[in-house]
Amino acid sequence: METLKDIEAVLGPVPAGPIVGGQVAATAATLAVVDPATEETLTEIGVGDTDTGVAAVDAAAAAMSGWAALAPRRRSEVLRRAYELMTERGDALAHLIVLENGKALADARSEVAYAAEFFRWYAEEAVRLEGTVETAPAGTNRILVLRQPIGVSLLITPWNFPAAMATRKIGPALAAGCAVVLKPASETPLTALAIAAILGEAGVPDGVVNVVPARNADAFSSRLLDDDRVRKVSFTGSTEVGRLLLAHAARTVVSSAMELGGNAPFVVLADADLDEAVQGAMVAKLRNGGSACTAANRFIVHESLADEFSGRFATAMAELSVGPGVQPGNTIGPLVNAKTRDKVASLVQGAVDGGARTLTGGQAPDRRGYYYLPTVLGGVAQDAPILGEEIFGPVAPVVSFRDLDEAVSLANATEYGLVSYVYTTDLRAGLQVSERLDSGMVGLNRPVVSDPAAPFGGTKQSGLGREGGHEGMLEFTESKYIAVEW
Ligand code: NAP
């Protein structure tokens, strides 16, 4: 399945433009979708403008009351069917992700499994939307609290997990009874459109899920957030854009859930098992080729282990095979575009200019496609600029520390707070450090935290709210309190 045509033969046709009210909407403009492995255009699709966005809100508003009134069991069954269809067509979807995003096929396959799991999990949650009844302290009445769907929701997703970031929002929104307008990233619109087609086939009524690739993301979201019918914005992307959206949302006081950038520390304590720490470092760094908000971004290693850790890590990174993601032997595909690759290259150059040693990699290979070699930088200064930026590529700076307080203070020295990783053989120390780390999630002797059953999200400028778990569905509801006497 190397071409879009091969993929569509298995997956079914990928809609060639915005899906509004169950139909492909006519558009005035088109967008070229590029394969990052070849730098060639895969296809052109129609992109919407603000009018398309308003039409999508019209469709969502019209469809929402029927969807919300449907029995939760029925909504659950539709989501379950979507999980089954996504799983049956998982391989074709994974190939589609590789084509437009570039990631390695193994990463794309695990993304599809993870993405589909949100539909299964929220199929199970849809029938568990509970409320509460209490006796008022004065004894005069009851306090009845219901959870109701919040309303039409605007979902905006990034390119790095084009399937999972969409399903992590659509699943809970649909379970709660909301209708949505999803704007996917311009680099990767095809996966979201293919998922919309699957949802239609699974029985989601027209208008409940609208997907609009859009030409001008700022104008598009701004217009939709000015529409009184839009009551939720759920965004995953950079902190910079998150701040803009929060400012837009303030105008109409729209409930906002923000999954933003990260700068994850990977802390290796003096008693860590080095084999486990290096294996964990490889996974925490390289999931998605390093283009993950959860990617370990800074390796903070006890000074007694730093050289040994860096050497072993560099050896393992040097053995990776870099090339087109579609070839199963390649573990590192290209980055998504030239801008992302150039940013990675300039961060590495800055670190080297500041005295860091390149233990492996340190350059873009001389080939077509937006590749960057897996890189380990040793002896990075504690105040090096690379430690303050989200790298978003296969680059690992290693910095050393002397004692626990210094490790915690280095780890927390960032405006981000999405996830931290800790490696130690002393569980007590590991839990103590985990409590002191200022992040929404911690991987303790574990390099992956993402799980549809767990609340995913960050502290500080990594975001607001949580996705996944029961909390993820509550984000798409509002409490209704009824004071009642009986
Ligand atoms: P991005 O540039 O912020 O874009 C994300 C989405 O926002 C895209 O759909 C983009 O549309 C849209 N957008 C861009 N400018 C906008 C504006 N002014 N107003 C409204 N929408 C706008 O992020 P990215 O480069 O795609 O993704 C990488 C970032 O996402 C990283 O910072 C990463 O950490 C973060 N991320 C966070 C999580 C998490 O769960 N915390 C998960 C994954 C990724 P266009 O593509 O059309 O410009």
Side-chain angles (χ1 to χ4, degrees), residues 156-161 165 168 183-187 214 217-218 221 235-239 241 244-245 248 259-262 292-293 390 392 418 456 462 467:
I156 304 177
T157 51
W159 48 262
N160 65 338
F161 288 98
M165 297 304 96
R168 197 165 80 175
K183 196 212 85 62
S186 294
E187 283 87 353
D218 190 22
S221 57
F235 171 71
T236 297
S238 60
T239 295
V241 172
L244 290 174
L245 282 167
H248 288 330
E259 293 291 346
L260 309 177
C293 53
E390 193 174 25
F392 240 58
L418 189 61
F456 185 107
S462 284
E467 290 191 327

Side-chain angles (χ1 to χ4, degrees), residues 380-463:
V380 176
Q382 287 189 354
D383 59 354
I386 194 171
L387 303 177
E389 295 247 5
E390 193 174 25
I391 302 170
F392 240 58
V395 173
V398 183
V399 58
S400 63
F401 70 90
R402 286 211 172 126
D403 60 40
L404 264 187
D405 285 346
E406 190 181 32
V408 170
S409 118
L410 279 172
N412 287 341
T414 164
E415 76 262 27
Y416 296 107
L418 189 61
V419 58
S420 311
Y421 301 93
V422 183
Y423 272 72
T424 173
T425 49
D426 179 349
L427 192 56
R428 188 161 178 260
L431 286 167
Q432 281 172 354
V433 171
S434 299
E435 284 194 352
R436 293 175 66 194
L437 291 170
D438 193 352
S439 58
M441 302 174 287
V442 177
L444 178 50
N445 294 328
R446 184 167 166 78
V448 176
V449 293
S450 303
D451 188 325
F456 185 107
T459 61
K460 299 192 273 182
Q461 295 190 38
S462 284

Side-chain angles (χ1 to χ4, degrees), residues 6 13 21 42 44 98 141 150 247 260 332 374 392 408 433 441 463:
D6 299 339
L42 290 167
E44 298 225 347
V98 172
N141 60 290
I150 195 163
L260 309 177
I332 301 288
F392 240 58
V408 170
V433 171
M441 302 174 287

Side-chain angles (χ1 to χ4, degrees), residues 1-2 35-38 94-95 97-99 101-109 321-334 367 371:
M1 269 190 277
E2 300 224 344
D35 178 351
T38 60
H95 278 82
I97 293 173
V98 172
L99 265 194
N101 168 282
K103 68 177 72 176
L105 187 56
D107 275 328
R109 286 186 171 132
S321 165
V322 179
V326 72
Q327 292 166 13
N330 292 330
T331 39
I332 301 288
R367 64 183 299 168
Y371 296 93

